[in-house]
């Protein structure tokens, strides 16, 4: 039995998927600021690549597989390019300075409607493609092997792996449609849902990405911490090292470093302080002027002594456009949304109760 002939097609599919995922991670690194997550994903993608990716002689594609793969890549790239240009109204401006302008040309309802149309087709394409590859592998068993016994044995192995691949495809449809199209998700048979639920602890299938739902579309939520020695006036903002705060300060490129406190501040802005008890701990440390915490902050507005009171507000931050002229130039605009943390002092009973409940301070009695 020629193992190469049986697994050649599936090997090429794994290689193409690995290459596409690797390219995706590189593009995210270039356009984003996601510390070391993408580097870890790239490490996982390297074993999926063929020897050809490293300049070595690898497996050869069949004429039919190579032609179909090239046609699929060209059609996919052209479709994505056309839709990107149209849906984001891309315009190339050469005078007075070269720039590319964009504007979202679709609504949320239109996007949901597009997903309802495209998701079922992606499922159909996936099923047809998998069926074609399994059938092609079975046919190769009868063509490549000379012995009847080996032909039958090879075909049985291909069918077994084909059944496993079909089962994997079926249970992967649950997480695939869960966030994309609810109507398609509801059409999945209950038996498939039950199997996916039982296998979920093993993480055999999952939806891509750490954050499937993007935040910041309607403004980037940010918690701004303020201190003062009077409850009525004199409030000054604490400026962090990496997160947005000062409107005229642009964000630094930190990847692959992960600033833990600033990273947690972003998650805190998506919820409330009741679900983030560490935030209350930080406020207590600021009220007591603990040096280890103050070293994590870019600008301490109370260098001589800690403030008597601290509060926090929730803002939504927006990038300024190139047409907006300000003096000095601001990178951000912001709108106040709500109170995030009420005014607290280090002797406030509610603050002390939280500290006692979560056992945040070892010397609480003192």
């Amino acid at each position: 039995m020629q193992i190469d002939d049986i697994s050649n097609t599936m090997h090429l599919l794994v290689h193409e998927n690995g290459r596409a995922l690797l390219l995706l991670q590189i593009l995210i690194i270039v356009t984003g600021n996601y510390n070391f997550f993408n580097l870890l994903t790239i490490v996982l993608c390297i074993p999926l690549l063929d020897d050809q990716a490293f300049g070595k002689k690898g497996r050869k594609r069949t004429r039919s597989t190579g032609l179909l793969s090239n046609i699929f890549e060209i059609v996919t790239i052209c479709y994505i390019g056309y839709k990107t240009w149209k849906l984001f109204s891309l315009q190339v401006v050469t005078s007075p300075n070269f720039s590319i302008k964009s504007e979202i040309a679709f609504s949320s309802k239109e996007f949901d409607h597009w997903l309802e149309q495209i998701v079922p087709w992606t499922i159909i394409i996936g099923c047809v493609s998998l069926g074609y590859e399994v059938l092609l592998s079975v046919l190769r068993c009868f063509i490549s092997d000379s012995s009847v016994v080996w032909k039958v044995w090879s075909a049985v192995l291909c069918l077994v792996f084909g059944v496993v691949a079909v089962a994997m495809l079926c249970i992967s449809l649950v997480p695939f449609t869960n966030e994309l199209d609810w109507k398609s998700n509801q059409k999945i048979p209950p038996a498939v849902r039950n199997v996916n639920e039982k296998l979920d602890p093993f993480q055999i299938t999952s939806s891509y990405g750490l954050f499937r739902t993007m935040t910041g579309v309607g403004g980037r939520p940010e918690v701004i911490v303020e201190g003062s020695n009077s409850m009525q006036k004199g409030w000054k903002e604490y400026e962090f090292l990496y997160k947005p705060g000062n409107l005229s300060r642009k964000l630094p490129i930190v990847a692959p470093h992960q600033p833990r406190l600033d990273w947690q501040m972003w998650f805190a802005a998506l919820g409330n302080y009741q679900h983030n008890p560490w935030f209350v701990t930080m406020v207590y440390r600021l009220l007591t002027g603990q040096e280890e915490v103050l070293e994590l902050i870019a600008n301490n507005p109370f260098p001589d002594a800690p403030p008597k009171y601290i509060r926090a507000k929730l803002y939504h931050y927006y990038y300024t456009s190139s047409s907006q002229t300000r003096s000095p130039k601001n990178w951000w605009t912001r709108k106040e949304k709500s109170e995030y943390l009420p005014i607290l002092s280090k002797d406030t009973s509610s603050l002390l109760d939280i500290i006692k409940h979560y056992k945040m301070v070892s010397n609480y009695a003192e």
Side-chain angles (χ1 to χ4, degrees), residues 238-256:
Y238 284 89
E239 186 175 345
F240 290 76
L241 290 169
Y242 305 104
K243 67 181 290 296
N246 189 337
L247 299 180
S248 61
R249 178 175 174 265
K250 65 178 181 179
L251 291 181
I253 298 177
V254 299

Side-chain angles (χ1 to χ4, degrees), residues 215-344:
T215 59
V217 176
R220 172 173 175 153
E222 290 291 344
V223 175
I224 302 301
V225 180
E226 300 175 331
S228 176
N229 290 314
S230 171
M231 298 181 64
Q232 287 77 27
K233 61 181 180 178
W235 291 98
K236 299 179 181 180
E237 296 183 8
Y238 284 89
E239 186 175 345
F240 290 76
L241 290 169
Y242 305 104
K243 67 181 290 296
N246 189 337
L247 299 180
S248 61
R249 178 175 174 265
K250 65 178 181 179
L251 291 181
I253 298 177
V254 299
H257 171 61
Q258 183 182 22
R260 300 299 177 126
L261 177 58
D262 299 70
W263 185 260
Q264 290 299 324
M265 287 290 289
W266 173 51
F267 284 106
L270 301 177
N272 51 57
Y273 75 90
Q274 290 89 344
H275 294 154
N276 297 276
W278 66 265
F279 183 84
V280 183
T281 308
M282 183 192 70
V283 169
Y284 179 82
R285 302 299 186 182
L286 294 177
L287 287 170
T288 56
Q290 186 160 341
E291 294 183 3
E292 291 84 352
V293 176
L294 293 174
E295 289 177 354
L296 300 175
I297 298 176
N299 178 31
N300 178 17
F302 303 93
D304 299 328
K308 294 182 179 180
Y309 306 100
I310 282 184
R311 68 183 182 185
K313 293 184 178 181
L314 180 66
Y315 287 85
H316 277 193
Y317 275 66
Y318 308 86
Y319 277 120
T320 57
S321 63
S322 58
S323 60
Q324 291 177 301
T325 56
R326 299 177 183 273
S327 180
K329 171 63 178 178
N330 286 339
W331 284 81
W332 305 92
T333 60
R334 70 181 185 183
K335 294 181 180 179
E336 183 178 342
K337 289 297 181 179
S338 62
E339 178 186 71
Y340 186 85
L341 182 73
I343 299 176
L344 297 177

Side-chain angles (χ1 to χ4, degrees), residues 10-24 45 48-49 72-73:
M10 299 304 295
H11 177 86
L12 289 173
L13 286 176
V14 172
H15 167 70
E16 292 297 334
N17 289 333
R19 189 177 66 172
L21 185 57
L22 182 63
L23 178 60
L24 173 63
C45 292
L48 301 177
L49 300 178
F72 178 77
E73 288 183 4

